[in-house]
């Protein structure tokens, strides 16, 4: 077959319509992929924002209790009581709980 016959066969008898349908299907598929990707990106951004909010909330709680512990330590020291600290942490749930001496040092 010569080139002219091939072009006539492709573009004649609905060849152009077939190419147009093929091109349209390719565009629809590409648009669907782009929409799905955009939705995934939005989901990731929303999840990251929610996670950052939760982390900030937990950091605020930790800071609140850290300040409270420092205040209690100051009050104890102001009244002559030396708080006891654990030497080394272990795996027991009460490892951080220590008794404090309630006796005042001799003056």
């Amino acid at each position: 077959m010569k080139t002219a016959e091939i072009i006539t066969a492709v573009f004649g008898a609905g060849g152009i319509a077939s190419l147009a349908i093929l091109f349209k299907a390719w565009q629809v598929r590409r648009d669907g992929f782009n929409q799905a990707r955009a939705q995934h990106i939005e989901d990731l951004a929303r999840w990251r924002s929610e996670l950052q909010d939760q982390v900030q909330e937990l950091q605020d709680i930790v800071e609140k209790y850290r300040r409270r512990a420092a205040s209690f330590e100051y009050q104890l020291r102001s009244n002559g009581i030396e708080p006891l600290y654990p030497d080394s942490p272990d795996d027991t749930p009460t490892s951080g709980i220590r008794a404090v001496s309630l006796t005042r040092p001799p003056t």
Side-chain angles (χ1 to χ4, degrees), residues 27-53:
Q27 280 184 327
V28 168
R29 182 172 182 228
R30 186 189 62 195
D31 292 344
F33 175 76
N34 288 340
Q35 288 175 352
R37 184 175 54 180
Q39 182 64 40
H40 289 294
I41 291 171
E42 289 175 11
D43 289 343
L44 289 172
R46 182 174 40 83
W47 293 336
R48 181 178 179 179
S49 175
E50 290 172 2
L51 183 61
Q52 286 175 336
D53 293 344

Side-chain angles (χ1 to χ4, degrees), residues 63-74:
E63 186 59 30
K64 171 186 166 184
Y65 283 105
R66 192 174 286 149
R67 284 192 310 267
R68 183 168 291 172
S71 173
F72 288 154
E73 181 181 359
Y74 173 76

Side-chain angles (χ1 to χ4, degrees), residues 11-12 15 20 27 50 54 63-65 86 95 99-100 102-103 107:
F11 291 120
Q27 280 184 327
E50 290 172 2
Q54 292 174 356
E63 186 59 30
K64 171 186 166 184
Y65 283 105
S95 66
V100 294
L102 297 178
T103 59
T107 53

